[in-house]
Amino acid sequence: MKNKSGQKLTKMQAARRRFSATALAFAATVGLLGTAQAADFNKDEWVLVASVINTTNPYMISNIEGAKAMSKALGIPLEIVNSNNSSQTSISSILAVLASGKKPIMFVNTVASSDAPTIVDAVGKAGGYVTIWWNKPADYHPADVGDHFVAFQKHPGVSSGRCGAEAIGQALGGKGGVVMLPGVQDSTTSQTRVAGFEAEMKEKFPDIKILDSRPSNWDPQLGAKNARDLIVKFGSEINGVWSADDGMQIGAMQAFENAGLLDKVKFASDGLYPTTLEDIKSGRGNNAIVGETFHRGYMASAVGLYTAYLAATGEIKPGDLPLEKRESLFKLSCVTPSNYKEYLKYDDAGAPDAFVEQLKKVGPWAAEPMPLVGGGAEEMPK
């Protein structure tokens, strides 16, 4: 496929064009349906459930904000599961909620990819519906499982890693040493972001050396500890730090500041969290942050819960949905200090509530700033 200038489009760009028409058409249908419920849907029989990896990472905190906004809009009570960075805690806590007797409408930000089948099976046995965000086994597909596994949803990880690598590579003039802070090792999200970062560095910045990589479990405190260890090991050899998530970057930046090195190192990460925005605005550490990607946890949890809600009410039948609406990739934006102001409005007071109201009008696949752009498995770098 080519654009108007005759240039060949990437597979992701082509996918965006193919899927945009169907997304908008379906959005119109959902808009007409509004929030009308099936005659046999009784809110008193249901509970919204949002399961997050921890409650220290700003993204997870934002997940909770989106779930609360959706609960308020739908008039259905909400249960929050704090996994405390543990798959075992996540699964046992979810099972405890399911034992309450109410049917679950669930969003899960899985700790590890391997957690998804156990959680989905439990939700199905409880008569509920679930969307999984970010992590699942590569060969585990909603269409093969059943309607209770409504959808798997995420933002592209490879492009996230490439955004960060491009920003750091440019800031360092193509030379130097960098360290990496991935998330959980058994995480689709972390793996794809790492793959994107490493591929971009190899392809565009061959004179930049990746010194070391320390998985930090999306945890600011572990990010700080691992950064301290890397400073001891490499010292001034570290010119750049890439984190798979802003939570870990927040911890790492503090470690470098404590070591008196913050103004000598460039950082890039994923999330553009409010703390990161403040650091960009202030120019902290001699403008230490050079690149970010934008998405919000409240948007993910709201989209996930609303998709599952539509299945619970009968407004959609998951088995009839096309691939891109069951295994969805949503738009991700690259952000730099030069364009960050475009995204400030998404952190205004009431932004989660406004996003939920938009979802109720256009459906889960056409909401700005994260409409559907593709589906199926991400294409990994070669």
Side-chain angles (χ1 to χ4, degrees):
M1 184 180 293
K2 297 181 179 181
N3 63 16
K4 292 179 179 179
S5 302
Q7 296 173 320
K8 187 176 181 180
L9 298 175
T10 66
K11 288 188 176 181
M12 180 58 76
Q13 289 170 329
R16 288 180 181 179
R17 293 196 173 188
R18 288 196 302 270
F19 295 140
S20 60
T22 42
L24 290 172
F26 192 84
T29 302
V30 173
L32 291 173
L33 288 170
T35 56
Q37 299 164 1
D40 59 351
F41 182 82
N42 181 352
K43 289 183 180 181
D44 293 337
E45 298 176 355
W46 296 82
V47 61
L48 297 184
V49 183
S51 179
V52 298
I53 296 174
N54 59 53
T55 55
T56 58
N57 184 298
Y59 181 82
M60 315 302 169
I61 296 170
S62 184
N63 277 162
I64 295 171
E65 291 174 354
K68 288 180 177 178
M70 185 59 70
S71 173
K72 181 172 68 174
L74 298 179
I76 300 174
L78 172 68
E79 292 280 350
I80 299 296
V81 172
N82 177 8
S83 302
N84 280 313
N85 300 308
S86 164
S87 294
Q88 182 177 353
T89 300
S90 172
I91 292 168
S92 62
S93 298
I94 288 172
L95 291 176
V97 172
L98 299 185
S100 71
K102 287 196 173 185
K103 293 181 284 188
I105 296 170
M106 187 177 292
F107 153 87
V108 182
N109 190 339
T110 42
V111 176
S113 299
S114 55
D115 298 344
T118 301
I119 294 170
V120 168
D121 182 61
V123 171
K125 289 177 179 176
Y129 295 87
V130 61
T131 59
I132 300 290
W133 260 82
W134 295 114
N135 305 301
K136 72 170 183 62
D139 59 352
Y140 184 68
H141 304 288
D144 297 334
V145 176
D147 281 3
H148 62 284
F149 185 8
V150 184
F152 173 67
Q153 301 170 327
K154 64 177 294 190
H155 297 279
V158 174
S159 57
S160 171
R162 286 188 178 275
C163 282
E166 175 71 19
I168 288 178
Q170 293 291 347
L172 298 184
K175 296 181 179 180
V178 300
V179 295
M180 302 171 62
L181 299 177
V184 174
Q185 285 184 294
D186 179 20
S187 160
T188 309
T189 301
S190 184
Q191 291 165 0
T192 53
R193 289 178 186 174
V194 167
F197 182 85
E198 291 178 339
E200 190 78 2
M201 280 296 180
K202 181 179 179 181
E203 294 165 14
K204 292 190 176 180
F205 306 104
D207 292 331
I208 291 180
K209 181 180 179 181
I210 297 176
L211 301 171
D212 205 344
S213 177
R214 299 287 179 92
S216 299
N217 294 3
W218 316 114
D219 189 334
Q221 295 178 349
L222 186 55
K225 178 186 180 300
N226 284 334
R228 288 195 298 271
D229 292 345
L230 291 167
I231 290 168
V232 171
K233 184 176 181 180
F234 294 106
S236 60
E237 291 181 59
I238 302 174
N239 308 117
V241 178
W242 174 79
S243 302
D245 162 84
D246 271 3
M248 296 177 291
Q249 176 175 266
I250 289 168
M253 289 183 70
Q254 189 60 56
F256 275 84
E257 187 168 55
N258 293 344
L261 296 172
L262 186 61
D263 62 345
K264 298 177 175 60
V265 179
K266 299 303 181 185
F267 293 79
S269 183
D270 180 284
L272 195 67
Y273 297 167
T275 299
T276 300
L277 271 170
E278 290 304 315
D279 288 343
I280 292 175
K281 290 178 188 177
S282 69
R284 181 182 173 203
N286 190 28
N287 298 302
I289 298 174
V290 295
E292 288 288 320
T293 55
F294 173 81
H295 53 87
R296 283 290 174 265
Y298 71 78
M299 297 178 183
S301 58
V303 166
L305 285 170
Y306 196 58
T307 307
Y309 169 80
L310 293 175
T313 61
E315 294 179 59
I316 61 171
K317 181 174 174 53
D320 292 340
L321 297 175
L323 171 65
E324 65 269 19
K325 291 194 175 81
R326 297 205 75 182
E327 296 190 44
S328 304
L329 296 172
F330 292 93
K331 183 180 178 181
L332 184 76
S333 302
C334 289
V335 181
T336 66
S338 65
N339 71 346
Y340 75 90
K341 291 182 180 179
E342 299 173 24
Y343 302 91
L344 296 179
K345 60 186 176 182
Y346 298 114
D347 292 317
D348 287 344
D353 294 318
F355 185 75
V356 165
E357 287 307 308
Q358 183 190 176
L359 284 183
K360 290 170 64 180
K361 292 177 182 178
V362 305
W365 299 289
E368 293 294 343
M370 52 166 287
L372 185 73
V373 294
E378 278 195 72
E379 184 177 354
M380 296 291 279
K382 295 180 180 179

